[in-house]
């Protein structure tokens, strides 16, 4: 995992009126104004989002750093899962490209303390997480430099899991 400098401006597809309406309807549903939960509009797989993932994340999975051979291997992941923060499912600061196999393995809930965010200047993943390549040449073991940093411990465990 490396630090990523994510531009502040989200791709245009994340700002569509139907997405903004969905987010407003979701707030109204949570407030009890709407009786039925709104349905999510459309897909994440817009060309501008895929282009942004290519530019910002260098066509790599945010967890494994494996390069995508084609967009069929790429899925959209949420740092804070959809079930925990449905209002952030289209939030540019919460979505990441993930390799499909890693997405299947990754837990769908956030551990207490959360994970390091490689796009946050407050979370320097390159200084908090270290790795060791074992003699077999394939196994990587991740650890944290500060055992009291819960976010780093959680992130190292997550990286061990997906690698």
């Amino acid at each position: 995992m490396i630090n990523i400098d994510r531009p502040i401006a989200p791709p245009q597809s994340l700002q569509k009126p139907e997405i903004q309406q969905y987010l407003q309807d979701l707030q109204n549903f949570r407030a009890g104004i709407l009786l039925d939960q709104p349905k999510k509009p459309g897909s994440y797989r817009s060309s501008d989002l895929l282009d942004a993932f290519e530019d910002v994340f260098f066509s790599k999975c945010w967890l494994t750093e494996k390069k995508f051979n084609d967009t069929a291997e790429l899925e959209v992941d949420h740092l804070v899962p959809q079930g925990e923060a449905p209002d952030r499912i289209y939030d540019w600061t919460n979505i990441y490209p993930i390799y499909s196999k890693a997405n299947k393995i990754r837990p769908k809930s956030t551990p207490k303390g959360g994970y390091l965010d490689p796009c946050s200047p407050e979370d320097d993943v390159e200084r908090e997480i270290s790795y060791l390549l074992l003699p077999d040449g394939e196994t990587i073991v991740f650890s944290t430099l500060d055992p009291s940093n819960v976010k780093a411990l959680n992130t190292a465990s997550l990286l061990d899991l997906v690698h």
Side-chain angles (χ1 to χ4, degrees):
M1 179 181 280
I2 61 170
N3 293 322
I4 298 289
D5 185 21
R6 183 195 303 251
I8 294 171
Q12 287 295 316
S13 64
L14 296 176
Q15 300 177 39
K16 290 181 186 176
E18 57 266 28
I19 289 175
Q20 299 309 311
Q21 184 62 53
Y22 165 77
L23 294 172
Q24 182 62 52
D25 291 346
L26 185 62
Q27 281 183 333
N28 289 337
F29 172 73
R30 292 175 126 187
I33 298 168
L34 289 177
L35 298 178
D36 295 323
Q37 184 165 354
K39 295 193 187 312
K40 291 186 269 184
S43 167
Y44 293 103
R45 298 187 74 78
S46 61
S47 61
D48 68 332
L49 181 62
L50 295 176
D51 288 346
F53 280 163
E54 184 175 329
D55 293 343
V56 175
F57 293 92
F58 311 106
S59 298
K60 293 181 179 181
C61 172
W62 78 283
L63 289 175
T64 66
E65 292 189 44
K66 179 177 175 156
K67 190 160 181 70
F68 301 111
N69 293 321
D70 61 58
T71 58
E73 295 176 339
L74 181 152
E75 293 182 5
V76 177
D77 190 20
H78 297 83
L79 182 66
V80 180
Q82 296 180 53
E84 295 174 17
D87 55 325
R88 293 195 63 203
I89 65 171
Y90 295 103
D91 181 346
W92 174 232
T93 65
N94 191 47
I95 59 177
Y96 292 79
I98 189 168
Y99 187 56
S100 58
K101 289 180 182 177
N103 199 22
K104 287 174 181 45
I105 297 169
R106 184 190 189 287
K108 299 305 177 209
S109 61
T110 306
K112 187 175 181 173
Y115 297 114
L116 293 172
D117 181 350
C119 295
S120 171
E122 296 161 8
D123 292 338
D124 188 344
V125 297
E126 293 176 25
R127 289 184 185 229
E128 295 292 337
I129 303 290
S130 65
Y131 69 93
L132 175 65
L133 182 62
L134 297 183
D136 66 9
E138 294 180 18
T139 306
I140 302 171
V141 178
F142 293 88
S143 61
T144 178
L145 301 175
D146 177 3
S148 68
N149 184 334
V150 175
K151 286 170 77 173
L153 287 168
N154 292 339
T155 304
S157 293
L158 176 61
L159 293 171
D160 279 337
L161 181 66
V162 298
H163 280 267

